[in-house]
Amino acid sequence: MKPIIIVMLCAQACVLLATVLVVAVRKPSAARPIPAWSSLAVALLVVGLTSMTIAGDHAGSSGADVLSFGGPFLIGMGLMAALFLFAQRQSGAGGR
């Protein structure tokens, strides 16, 4: 397996774990009432798009098929995080 594919698989695992920890495990408090949707959206989109690019460049290599599966999955999660961000800003800006 090529080193770039290993690094990208690790990046996918880390960003997925970070998203799960921020959204599902962390409890809101007065100091940190809401998850950081903008940071999650950017991280998920960057890792997802980079995974798709690397998977396309290294098609047929071992591990590239996992990257090509995980890329759109993370992109979808990033789009959902962006939609949550937009909904949160709309409701926080006077309830419009």
Side-chain angles (χ1 to χ4, degrees):
M1 194 178 306
K2 295 186 178 185
I4 189 72
I5 293 176
I6 294 171
V7 169
M8 208 58 232
L9 287 171
C10 290
Q12 281 185 350
C14 288
V15 77
L16 185 63
L17 182 64
T19 303
V20 168
L21 288 175
V22 168
V23 174
V25 175
R26 196 185 87 180
K27 302 286 186 218
S29 65
R32 290 186 275 175
I34 52 176
W37 294 116
S38 59
S39 300
L40 288 175
V42 169
L44 288 164
L45 288 172
V46 167
V47 172
L49 290 170
T50 306
S51 296
M52 290 297 297
T53 302
I54 291 173
D57 291 345
H58 298 285
S61 297
S62 60
D65 54 344
V66 178
L67 283 180
S68 65
F69 173 78
F73 183 70
L74 293 177
I75 291 170
M77 288 177 62
L79 290 175
M80 287 303 297
L83 291 173
F84 280 130
L85 173 67
F86 296 142
Q88 177 185 17
R89 290 212 176 150
Q90 285 292 327
S91 66
R96 289 185 248 170

